[in-house]
Amino acid sequence: MEVKSNSVKGGWLKNMIVKRLYFDKAMSCAELSELFDKSIPSIAKAVNELIKEGFVVEQGYAPSSGGRRPLMYAINANAMFILAVAMDQLSARIQLVDLHNNPVADLAAVELKLLHNESALPQLIQHLNDYISNSGISKSKIAGIGIGMPGFINAVEGINYTYLDAGGESLSEYITRATGINTYIDNDSSLIALAEQKFGIARSQQEVMVINLGWGIGLGMIIDGKIFRGYNGFAGELSHIPLSEDGALCTCGKRGCLEAEASMLVVAQKAEVGIKNGRVTSLKLHNGQSKMMGDSLMDAANQGDQFALELLSDAGYKIGKALAILIHIMNPANIVLSGRGAKVGKILLAPIQQALHRYCIPRLASGTELLISSLGFDAELIGAAVLVMENFDKEMKG
């Protein structure tokens, strides 16, 4: 059944049911009744209305556990769609997904440099509008646009203090006005952590640290089941932990930051220098295209290239040194290696563990398990979709 609007008629309860079924896949009226502390007749009435409106479908009966089997209800994947956007410093990926987070249009990967690029915001908006137009999906069917991006971000106000200047106004509101679709932004690493907690290896965990191994090195912290943002929203800047006094100059203006020593962008640059200096390797120069070199380097490492393995081992050891600091402060049960670099997660584990043995108190290190994401490079896109649904009931109250 076609849904003619991206809103749910009838208020908070129906919105919350849609949101819960997005995250939990299938539930019975009794489970929804207990969750929302509403009577079963009230839940059944709301569910039946959602079925008529095309948001919910019957999923069949639950497995028998004695007694009458309850009828299960699930979200209709095609009731609405979400435009998920995953950005890094060099590019953006745009993907329209259904309510099962499955793609319904081709992925668009576009070059979009953020640093020292005053036209980055209008370029982003043009890419978004072009993608929506080419998808053939009506805007009324798109629940929202979720965007993960690097930078110091106030997710509540929708402001990125580092990139994509919107002339002092809310970036979320600016893009909403330019596209005609409700837009939400958040830090890329926070969204990756959200994706891992909702749909990934950290599903349903209450305390977990998620490392975003990308062109930078980010950290998303799940504490007490929620994203921890700190006093003014900027918690998790693991990439700017100082590893040395006289190390490489970081983009933040300081020396020796983890990002300046061990990010994938830095590893790619070191690879280019090594090739020019005659290192034996299967890697080829990419004319300064660090993104292509970074991807090639990870592929080469997984195929056993010794130079690529050496570079990643060095980076992994430095990441491990930073994680030792994180473990001493947070004492997490799990640390998840996610993002672009998860594809070389197994290679990074050994040098990370070596650094933890050297720099971390054994009693603390032994209580923390290192995990490799199963979502990997898709985590940010999934997190961007989750961001829209996290705000679904807030946007549609009333």
Side-chain angles (χ1 to χ4, degrees), residues 98-226:
D98 63 20
L99 293 183
H100 289 169
N101 294 327
N102 294 320
V104 294
D106 291 340
L107 174 73
V110 297
E111 183 176 309
L112 185 61
K113 295 182 179 180
L114 297 181
L115 190 62
H116 307 310
N117 182 8
E118 294 181 358
S119 63
L121 181 53
Q123 288 174 1
L124 172 62
I125 289 170
Q126 185 65 54
H127 288 308
L128 294 176
N129 282 327
D130 287 347
Y131 186 94
I132 295 165
S133 177
N134 292 335
S135 74
I137 301 292
S138 169
K139 289 184 179 182
S140 67
K141 291 275 284 183
I142 300 177
I145 301 173
I147 308 179
M149 57 181 67
F152 292 114
I153 294 173
N154 182 324
V156 175
E157 299 294 332
I159 297 173
N160 188 334
Y161 293 98
T162 310
Y163 303 113
L164 299 167
D165 179 28
E169 71 170 294
S170 165
L171 181 58
S172 293
E173 293 177 4
Y174 189 98
I175 298 175
T176 295
R177 190 167 61 250
T179 61
I181 300 173
N182 289 324
T183 299
Y184 311 92
I185 69 167
D186 206 340
N187 177 266
D188 51 354
S189 298
S190 292
L191 289 190
I192 286 173
L194 198 59
E196 295 292 351
Q197 188 210 26
K198 298 297 185 182
F199 295 108
I201 198 167
R203 187 175 176 89
S204 301
Q205 291 189 22
Q206 298 296 297
E207 318 287 336
V208 63
M209 305 288 107
V210 180
I211 309 301
N212 174 17
L213 298 173
W215 301 127
I217 300 175
L219 168 65
M221 297 186 284
I222 303 290
I223 298 178
D224 196 23
K226 300 177 182 178

